[in-house]
Amino acid sequence: MTTTRLSGLYAVTPELADTADLARRVRAALRGGARLLQFRCKTADAARRRCQADAVLAACREFGAALIVNDDLALALAVGADGVHLGADDGDLAAARAALGPRRLLGVSCYADPARAGEARRCGADYVAFGSFFASATKPAAVRAPLRILTDARQDLDLPLAAIGGITLANAPLLIEAGADLLAVVSDLFEAPDIAARAAAFTQLFSEKATS
């Protein structure tokens, strides 16, 4: 598995039918400094999902980044990804931990639910994700999470914390200040006019936090 520090920009892929365009955008994000990337694809058939996952994995290997597959343990294992990210309806966490083994990453969506985060930790999660913190075009109906959930989780859990949902370069500092180790970003990254520059700007936020 690629050695991964669970901190910084967590790039989450958009839904794109064009695999070449997806790979181009992913490479731009990686060129800008993203070292953790989640392949998220809800609408494609199995063949295209596999093709896109292979393409994204190749880009991650080129840049020394880790690939996490969203919601599909079987696909993550099939392509040799570095881990899987599971939501509430995506299978048993303990079984996923066992299938992944000790070297691959398990991330868990916890929405605005500290109890689920505690359960994820007990099942061997490597990080937990909270959100949506802001209005999100990707998940417009998502339950909103308060910033304080990050602050409380920082005290209660010894796990890296990911924030997700409507994150932009403008509101990202609020989440980092509240305790987020990872910022999971879709639209504000992959729809930026210069994806590499936007990735670099997100990455710089964490550098500034480390030196403040």
Side-chain angles (χ1 to χ4, degrees), residues 56-115:
V56 170
L57 179 63
C60 287
R61 292 291 178 262
E62 179 183 339
F63 285 88
L67 175 66
I68 307 297
V69 173
N70 176 273
D71 292 356
D72 193 333
L73 176 61
L75 180 61
L77 295 173
V79 301
D82 299 296
V84 71
H85 183 95
L86 299 178
D89 302 319
D90 301 321
D92 181 82
L93 298 181
R97 177 74 278 167
L100 289 166
R103 291 176 59 83
R104 290 188 171 93
L105 298 170
L106 173 61
V108 179
S109 290
C110 298
Y111 314 103
D113 185 356

Side-chain angles (χ1 to χ4, degrees), residues 10 85 107-112 117 127-131 133 150 160-164 184:
Y10 188 2
H85 183 95
V108 179
S109 290
C110 298
Y111 314 103
Y127 70 89
V128 294
F130 293 105
F133 286 98
L150 292 170
L161 308 177
I164 193 166

Side-chain angles (χ1 to χ4, degrees), residues 29-169:
L30 297 173
R31 192 164 58 250
R35 288 298 173 264
L36 185 64
L37 185 128
Q38 183 183 125
F39 173 61
R40 182 181 187 276
C41 181
K42 301 288 193 179
T43 60
D45 60 23
R48 193 172 83 201
R49 282 169 56 82
R50 176 59 190 263
C51 179
Q52 291 195 341
D54 284 336
V56 170
L57 179 63
C60 287
R61 292 291 178 262
E62 179 183 339
F63 285 88
L67 175 66
I68 307 297
V69 173
N70 176 273
D71 292 356
D72 193 333
L73 176 61
L75 180 61
L77 295 173
V79 301
D82 299 296
V84 71
H85 183 95
L86 299 178
D89 302 319
D90 301 321
D92 181 82
L93 298 181
R97 177 74 278 167
L100 289 166
R103 291 176 59 83
R104 290 188 171 93
L105 298 170
L106 173 61
V108 179
S109 290
C110 298
Y111 314 103
D113 185 356
R116 178 167 168 80
E119 177 63 17
R121 180 184 179 279
R122 288 188 289 273
C123 289
D126 294 287
Y127 70 89
V128 294
F130 293 105
S132 181
F133 286 98
F134 307 102
S136 169
T138 303
K139 285 192 173 183
V143 174
R144 297 286 283 275
L147 282 174
R148 69 175 180 274
I149 201 168
L150 292 170
T151 306
D152 293 343
R154 172 62 56 228
Q155 296 176 345
D156 298 338
L157 299 172
D158 55 351
L159 285 177
L161 308 177
I164 193 166
I167 298 173
T168 68
L169 201 57

